[in-house]
mmCIF file of all heavy atoms in Angstrom:
data_model
loop_
_atom_site.group_PDB
_atom_site.id
_atom_site.type_symbol
_atom_site.label_atom_id
_atom_site.label_comp_id
_atom_site.label_asym_id
_atom_site.label_seq_id
_atom_site.Cartn_x
_atom_site.Cartn_y
_atom_site.Cartn_z
ATOM 1 N N ASN A 572 -10.609 8.142 -31.623
ATOM 2 C CA ASN A 572 -9.915 9.042 -30.580
ATOM 3 C C ASN A 572 -8.633 8.386 -30.275
ATOM 4 O O ASN A 572 -8.180 8.254 -29.050
ATOM 5 C CB ASN A 572 -10.734 9.164 -29.498
ATOM 6 C CG ASN A 572 -12.043 9.837 -29.685
ATOM 7 O OD1 ASN A 572 -12.065 10.967 -30.287
ATOM 8 N ND2 ASN A 572 -13.256 9.357 -29.132
ATOM 9 N N THR A 573 -7.873 7.971 -31.359
ATOM 10 C CA THR A 573 -6.624 7.208 -31.074
ATOM 11 C C THR A 573 -5.536 7.733 -31.975
ATOM 12 O O THR A 573 -5.828 8.010 -33.118
ATOM 13 C CB THR A 573 -6.847 5.634 -31.424
ATOM 14 O OG1 THR A 573 -7.990 5.137 -30.474
ATOM 15 C CG2 THR A 573 -5.587 4.804 -31.194
ATOM 16 N N SER A 574 -4.299 7.716 -31.424
ATOM 17 C CA SER A 574 -3.109 8.110 -32.200
ATOM 18 C C SER A 574 -2.267 6.840 -32.313
ATOM 19 O O SER A 574 -2.328 5.890 -31.443
ATOM 20 C CB SER A 574 -2.406 9.232 -31.645
ATOM 21 O OG SER A 574 -1.839 8.943 -30.370
ATOM 22 N N TYR A 575 -1.489 6.900 -33.383
ATOM 23 C CA TYR A 575 -0.592 5.729 -33.469
ATOM 24 C C TYR A 575 0.808 6.325 -33.804
ATOM 25 O O TYR A 575 0.958 7.313 -34.466
ATOM 26 C CB TYR A 575 -1.049 4.912 -34.717
ATOM 27 C CG TYR A 575 -2.446 4.328 -34.586
ATOM 28 C CD1 TYR A 575 -3.469 5.073 -35.048
ATOM 29 C CD2 TYR A 575 -2.656 3.061 -33.901
ATOM 30 C CE1 TYR A 575 -4.803 4.619 -34.968
ATOM 31 C CE2 TYR A 575 -3.969 2.632 -33.950
ATOM 32 C CZ TYR A 575 -5.096 3.384 -34.322
ATOM 33 O OH TYR A 575 -6.294 2.943 -34.252
ATOM 34 N N LEU A 576 1.792 5.585 -33.448
ATOM 35 C CA LEU A 576 3.159 5.923 -33.739
ATOM 36 C C LEU A 576 3.829 4.732 -34.458
ATOM 37 O O LEU A 576 4.222 3.781 -33.787
ATOM 38 C CB LEU A 576 4.041 6.287 -32.551
ATOM 39 C CG LEU A 576 5.411 6.821 -32.750
ATOM 40 C CD1 LEU A 576 5.418 8.177 -33.573
ATOM 41 C CD2 LEU A 576 6.149 6.984 -31.450
ATOM 42 N N GLN A 577 3.897 4.851 -35.784
ATOM 43 C CA GLN A 577 4.609 3.694 -36.500
ATOM 44 C C GLN A 577 5.992 4.049 -36.466
ATOM 45 O O GLN A 577 6.568 5.063 -36.950
ATOM 46 C CB GLN A 577 4.073 3.754 -37.941
ATOM 47 C CG GLN A 577 4.637 2.731 -38.905
ATOM 48 C CD GLN A 577 4.401 1.307 -38.407
ATOM 49 O OE1 GLN A 577 3.226 0.891 -38.453
ATOM 50 N NE2 GLN A 577 5.292 0.492 -38.101
ATOM 51 N N MET A 578 6.763 3.081 -35.883
ATOM 52 C CA MET A 578 8.241 3.119 -35.784
ATOM 53 C C MET A 578 8.865 1.971 -36.547
ATOM 54 O O MET A 578 8.631 0.845 -36.377
ATOM 55 C CB MET A 578 8.666 3.047 -34.338
ATOM 56 C CG MET A 578 7.942 4.010 -33.290
ATOM 57 S SD MET A 578 8.643 4.101 -31.710
ATOM 58 C CE MET A 578 7.970 2.537 -31.165
ATOM 59 N N THR A 579 9.757 2.415 -37.424
ATOM 60 C CA THR A 579 10.492 1.533 -38.270
ATOM 61 C C THR A 579 11.972 1.731 -38.143
ATOM 62 O O THR A 579 12.364 2.753 -37.745
ATOM 63 C CB THR A 579 10.090 1.448 -39.720
ATOM 64 O OG1 THR A 579 10.360 2.748 -40.296
ATOM 65 C CG2 THR A 579 8.589 1.124 -39.917
ATOM 66 N N GLY A 580 12.754 0.818 -38.501
ATOM 67 C CA GLY A 580 14.175 0.974 -38.440
ATOM 68 C C GLY A 580 14.626 1.276 -37.037
ATOM 69 O O GLY A 580 15.533 2.240 -36.844
ATOM 70 N N LEU A 581 14.183 0.631 -36.019
ATOM 71 C CA LEU A 581 14.454 1.003 -34.652
ATOM 72 C C LEU A 581 15.793 0.785 -34.322
ATOM 73 O O LEU A 581 16.563 -0.207 -34.801
ATOM 74 C CB LEU A 581 13.551 0.249 -33.630
ATOM 75 C CG LEU A 581 12.143 0.666 -33.674
ATOM 76 C CD1 LEU A 581 11.241 -0.301 -33.027
ATOM 77 C CD2 LEU A 581 12.103 2.050 -32.801
ATOM 78 N N LYS A 582 16.443 1.716 -33.532
ATOM 79 C CA LYS A 582 17.825 1.643 -33.115
ATOM 80 C C LYS A 582 17.876 1.548 -31.747
ATOM 81 O O LYS A 582 16.997 2.036 -30.887
ATOM 82 C CB LYS A 582 18.589 2.905 -33.569
ATOM 83 C CG LYS A 582 18.462 3.222 -35.115
ATOM 84 C CD LYS A 582 19.013 4.597 -35.349
ATOM 85 C CE LYS A 582 18.866 4.982 -36.805
ATOM 86 N NZ LYS A 582 19.470 6.354 -37.161
ATOM 87 N N PRO A 583 18.972 1.107 -31.052
ATOM 88 C CA PRO A 583 19.113 0.973 -29.685
ATOM 89 C C PRO A 583 18.899 2.349 -28.962
ATOM 90 O O PRO A 583 18.384 2.409 -27.937
ATOM 91 C CB PRO A 583 20.569 0.452 -29.462
ATOM 92 C CG PRO A 583 20.763 -0.357 -30.622
ATOM 93 C CD PRO A 583 20.139 0.359 -31.699
ATOM 94 N N GLU A 584 19.289 3.437 -29.604
ATOM 95 C CA GLU A 584 19.178 4.668 -29.046
ATOM 96 C C GLU A 584 17.655 5.186 -28.932
ATOM 97 O O GLU A 584 17.357 6.229 -28.449
ATOM 98 C CB GLU A 584 20.012 5.766 -29.739
ATOM 99 C CG GLU A 584 19.891 5.761 -31.276
ATOM 100 C CD GLU A 584 20.970 4.959 -31.964
ATOM 101 O OE1 GLU A 584 21.189 3.857 -31.449
ATOM 102 O OE2 GLU A 584 21.451 5.505 -32.900
ATOM 103 N N ASP A 585 16.818 4.429 -29.615
ATOM 104 C CA ASP A 585 15.330 4.763 -29.481
ATOM 105 C C ASP A 585 14.800 4.146 -28.186
ATOM 106 O O ASP A 585 13.569 4.468 -27.902
ATOM 107 C CB ASP A 585 14.611 4.154 -30.592
ATOM 108 C CG ASP A 585 14.958 4.781 -31.923
ATOM 109 O OD1 ASP A 585 15.078 6.080 -32.031
ATOM 110 O OD2 ASP A 585 14.978 4.103 -33.045
ATOM 111 N N THR A 586 15.472 3.436 -27.449
ATOM 112 C CA THR A 586 15.038 2.861 -26.314
ATOM 113 C C THR A 586 14.691 3.931 -25.290
ATOM 114 O O THR A 586 15.392 4.846 -24.999
ATOM 115 C CB THR A 586 16.174 2.053 -25.669
ATOM 116 O OG1 THR A 586 16.417 0.809 -26.333
ATOM 117 C CG2 THR A 586 15.705 1.505 -24.235
ATOM 118 N N ALA A 587 13.531 3.857 -24.792
ATOM 119 C CA ALA A 587 12.887 5.034 -23.995
ATOM 120 C C ALA A 587 11.505 4.547 -23.419
ATOM 121 O O ALA A 587 10.940 3.509 -23.907
ATOM 122 C CB ALA A 587 12.779 6.250 -24.616
ATOM 123 N N ILE A 588 10.997 5.273 -22.516
ATOM 124 C CA ILE A 588 9.589 5.181 -22.134
ATOM 125 C C ILE A 588 8.896 6.181 -23.076
ATOM 126 O O ILE A 588 9.262 7.433 -23.120
ATOM 127 C CB ILE A 588 9.196 5.607 -20.809
ATOM 128 C CG1 ILE A 588 9.963 4.583 -19.861
ATOM 129 C CG2 ILE A 588 7.802 5.532 -20.490
ATOM 130 C CD1 ILE A 588 9.855 4.838 -18.413
ATOM 131 N N TYR A 589 7.955 5.750 -23.749
ATOM 132 C CA TYR A 589 7.110 6.625 -24.750
ATOM 133 C C TYR A 589 5.851 6.961 -24.178
ATOM 134 O O TYR A 589 5.081 6.076 -23.731
ATOM 135 C CB TYR A 589 6.995 5.759 -26.076
ATOM 136 C CG TYR A 589 8.213 5.793 -26.997
ATOM 137 C CD1 TYR A 589 9.292 5.073 -26.530
ATOM 138 C CD2 TYR A 589 8.229 6.414 -28.133
ATOM 139 C CE1 TYR A 589 10.376 4.975 -27.267
ATOM 140 C CE2 TYR A 589 9.436 6.443 -28.873
ATOM 141 C CZ TYR A 589 10.479 5.672 -28.520
ATOM 142 O OH TYR A 589 11.620 5.732 -29.242
ATOM 143 N N TYR A 590 5.511 8.272 -24.102
ATOM 144 C CA TYR A 590 4.368 8.752 -23.544
ATOM 145 C C TYR A 590 3.452 9.508 -24.624
ATOM 146 O O TYR A 590 4.134 10.264 -25.492
ATOM 147 C CB TYR A 590 4.694 9.854 -22.476
ATOM 148 C CG TYR A 590 5.505 9.372 -21.313
ATOM 149 C CD1 TYR A 590 6.910 9.467 -21.391
ATOM 150 C CD2 TYR A 590 4.834 8.954 -20.217
ATOM 151 C CE1 TYR A 590 7.621 9.039 -20.296
ATOM 152 C CE2 TYR A 590 5.587 8.387 -19.184
ATOM 153 C CZ TYR A 590 6.989 8.536 -19.078
ATOM 154 O OH TYR A 590 7.655 8.082 -18.088
ATOM 155 N N CYS A 591 2.204 9.194 -24.601
ATOM 156 C CA CYS A 591 1.283 9.888 -25.550
ATOM 157 C C CYS A 591 0.765 11.042 -24.908
ATOM 158 O O CYS A 591 0.752 11.140 -23.537
ATOM 159 C CB CYS A 591 0.266 8.938 -26.091
ATOM 160 S SG CYS A 591 -0.984 8.457 -24.997
ATOM 161 N N ASN A 592 0.275 12.006 -25.537
ATOM 162 C CA ASN A 592 -0.170 13.246 -25.159
ATOM 163 C C ASN A 592 -1.297 13.784 -25.930
ATOM 164 O O ASN A 592 -1.292 13.520 -27.213
ATOM 165 C CB ASN A 592 1.159 14.230 -25.069
ATOM 166 C CG ASN A 592 0.684 15.636 -25.133
ATOM 167 O OD1 ASN A 592 0.489 16.277 -26.286
ATOM 168 N ND2 ASN A 592 0.655 16.291 -24.028
ATOM 169 N N THR A 593 -2.171 14.591 -25.329
ATOM 170 C CA THR A 593 -3.196 15.398 -26.055
ATOM 171 C C THR A 593 -3.077 16.808 -25.579
ATOM 172 O O THR A 593 -2.854 17.002 -24.354
ATOM 173 C CB THR A 593 -4.584 14.837 -25.936
ATOM 174 O OG1 THR A 593 -4.948 14.781 -24.535
ATOM 175 C CG2 THR A 593 -4.696 13.496 -26.501
ATOM 176 N N GLN A 594 -3.226 17.774 -26.411
ATOM 177 C CA GLN A 594 -3.162 19.149 -26.097
ATOM 178 C C GLN A 594 -4.628 19.798 -26.450
ATOM 179 O O GLN A 594 -5.302 19.429 -27.408
ATOM 180 C CB GLN A 594 -2.149 19.839 -26.911
ATOM 181 C CG GLN A 594 -2.090 21.292 -26.409
ATOM 182 C CD GLN A 594 -0.809 22.039 -27.228
ATOM 183 O OE1 GLN A 594 -0.835 22.028 -28.528
ATOM 184 N NE2 GLN A 594 0.024 22.601 -26.363
ATOM 185 N N HIS A 595 -5.087 20.584 -25.581
ATOM 186 C CA HIS A 595 -6.442 21.093 -25.619
ATOM 187 C C HIS A 595 -6.343 22.672 -25.382
ATOM 188 O O HIS A 595 -5.422 23.211 -24.696
ATOM 189 C CB HIS A 595 -7.263 20.460 -24.428
ATOM 190 C CG HIS A 595 -7.284 19.081 -24.418
ATOM 191 N ND1 HIS A 595 -8.334 18.281 -24.897
ATOM 192 C CD2 HIS A 595 -6.287 18.172 -23.998
ATOM 193 C CE1 HIS A 595 -8.066 17.000 -24.682
ATOM 194 N NE2 HIS A 595 -6.789 16.950 -24.231
ATOM 195 N N VAL A 596 -7.409 23.358 -25.952
ATOM 196 C CA VAL A 596 -7.550 24.724 -25.704
ATOM 197 C C VAL A 596 -8.975 24.982 -25.322
ATOM 198 O O VAL A 596 -9.887 24.432 -25.952
ATOM 199 C CB VAL A 596 -7.074 25.614 -26.873
ATOM 200 C CG1 VAL A 596 -7.832 25.373 -28.123
ATOM 201 C CG2 VAL A 596 -7.129 27.083 -26.474
ATOM 202 N N ASP A 597 -9.253 25.683 -24.246
ATOM 203 C CA ASP A 597 -10.724 26.046 -23.880
ATOM 204 C C ASP A 597 -11.176 27.522 -24.453
ATOM 205 O O ASP A 597 -10.416 28.060 -25.246
ATOM 206 C CB ASP A 597 -10.804 25.912 -22.485
ATOM 207 C CG ASP A 597 -10.103 27.092 -21.586
ATOM 208 O OD1 ASP A 597 -9.746 28.130 -22.268
ATOM 209 O OD2 ASP A 597 -10.057 26.942 -20.416
ATOM 210 N N TYR A 598 -12.330 27.827 -24.095
ATOM 211 C CA TYR A 598 -12.954 28.967 -24.643
ATOM 212 C C TYR A 598 -12.284 30.139 -24.260
ATOM 213 O O TYR A 598 -12.462 31.366 -24.821
ATOM 214 C CB TYR A 598 -14.538 29.006 -24.289
ATOM 215 C CG TYR A 598 -14.741 29.186 -22.811
ATOM 216 C CD1 TYR A 598 -15.032 30.355 -22.272
ATOM 217 C CD2 TYR A 598 -14.680 28.020 -22.028
ATOM 218 C CE1 TYR A 598 -15.261 30.598 -20.951
ATOM 219 C CE2 TYR A 598 -14.948 28.210 -20.526
ATOM 220 C CZ TYR A 598 -15.195 29.457 -19.996
ATOM 221 O OH TYR A 598 -15.508 29.589 -18.765
ATOM 222 N N LEU A 599 -11.458 30.192 -23.192
ATOM 223 C CA LEU A 599 -10.657 31.413 -22.763
ATOM 224 C C LEU A 599 -9.248 31.249 -23.386
ATOM 225 O O LEU A 599 -8.417 32.040 -22.921
ATOM 226 C CB LEU A 599 -10.603 31.471 -21.208
ATOM 227 C CG LEU A 599 -11.932 31.773 -20.623
ATOM 228 C CD1 LEU A 599 -11.685 31.765 -19.178
ATOM 229 C CD2 LEU A 599 -12.541 33.127 -21.191
ATOM 230 N N ARG A 600 -8.959 30.352 -24.225
ATOM 231 C CA ARG A 600 -7.697 30.166 -24.808
ATOM 232 C C ARG A 600 -6.653 29.811 -23.867
ATOM 233 O O ARG A 600 -5.320 30.160 -23.986
ATOM 234 C CB ARG A 600 -7.262 31.380 -25.745
ATOM 235 C CG ARG A 600 -8.407 31.763 -26.821
ATOM 236 C CD ARG A 600 -7.836 32.834 -27.672
ATOM 237 N NE ARG A 600 -7.015 32.326 -28.724
ATOM 238 C CZ ARG A 600 -5.710 32.378 -28.832
ATOM 239 N NH1 ARG A 600 -5.015 33.176 -27.963
ATOM 240 N NH2 ARG A 600 -5.087 31.945 -29.802
ATOM 241 N N ARG A 601 -7.001 29.028 -22.946
ATOM 242 C CA ARG A 601 -6.115 28.408 -21.945
ATOM 243 C C ARG A 601 -5.771 27.038 -22.423
ATOM 244 O O ARG A 601 -6.708 26.292 -22.883
ATOM 245 C CB ARG A 601 -6.616 28.398 -20.575
ATOM 246 C CG ARG A 601 -7.049 29.787 -19.970
ATOM 247 C CD ARG A 601 -7.631 29.693 -18.649
ATOM 248 N NE ARG A 601 -8.937 28.996 -18.713
ATOM 249 C CZ ARG A 601 -9.887 28.962 -17.692
ATOM 250 N NH1 ARG A 601 -9.587 29.637 -16.643
ATOM 251 N NH2 ARG A 601 -11.044 28.368 -17.969
ATOM 252 N N TRP A 602 -4.547 26.662 -22.366
ATOM 253 C CA TRP A 602 -4.060 25.412 -22.939
ATOM 254 C C TRP A 602 -3.795 24.452 -21.828
ATOM 255 O O TRP A 602 -3.301 24.666 -20.862
ATOM 256 C CB TRP A 602 -2.722 25.596 -23.712
ATOM 257 C CG TRP A 602 -3.024 26.417 -25.031
ATOM 258 C CD1 TRP A 602 -3.086 27.772 -25.196
ATOM 259 C CD2 TRP A 602 -3.272 25.830 -26.304
ATOM 260 N NE1 TRP A 602 -3.329 28.053 -26.464
ATOM 261 C CE2 TRP A 602 -3.478 26.927 -27.144
ATOM 262 C CE3 TRP A 602 -3.400 24.552 -26.822
ATOM 263 C CZ2 TRP A 602 -3.735 26.759 -28.511
ATOM 264 C CZ3 TRP A 602 -3.669 24.345 -28.209
ATOM 265 C CH2 TRP A 602 -3.776 25.508 -29.051
ATOM 266 N N TYR A 603 -4.104 23.125 -22.200
ATOM 267 C CA TYR A 603 -4.090 22.013 -21.212
ATOM 268 C C TYR A 603 -3.486 20.881 -21.914
ATOM 269 O O TYR A 603 -3.621 20.672 -23.183
ATOM 270 C CB TYR A 603 -5.428 21.578 -20.692
ATOM 271 C CG TYR A 603 -6.218 22.694 -19.987
ATOM 272 C CD1 TYR A 603 -6.981 23.608 -20.677
ATOM 273 C CD2 TYR A 603 -6.081 22.993 -18.547
ATOM 274 C CE1 TYR A 603 -7.657 24.636 -20.015
ATOM 275 C CE2 TYR A 603 -6.679 23.982 -17.954
ATOM 276 C CZ TYR A 603 -7.505 24.771 -18.658
ATOM 277 O OH TYR A 603 -8.291 25.861 -18.022
#
């Protein structure tokens, strides 16, 4: 249950706070 972000060739403009996210849909097709 894990995602990875392989980042190479990093540039100063890549400086940021990085947030991971999961998207879900329930039985009524509502997204979370």
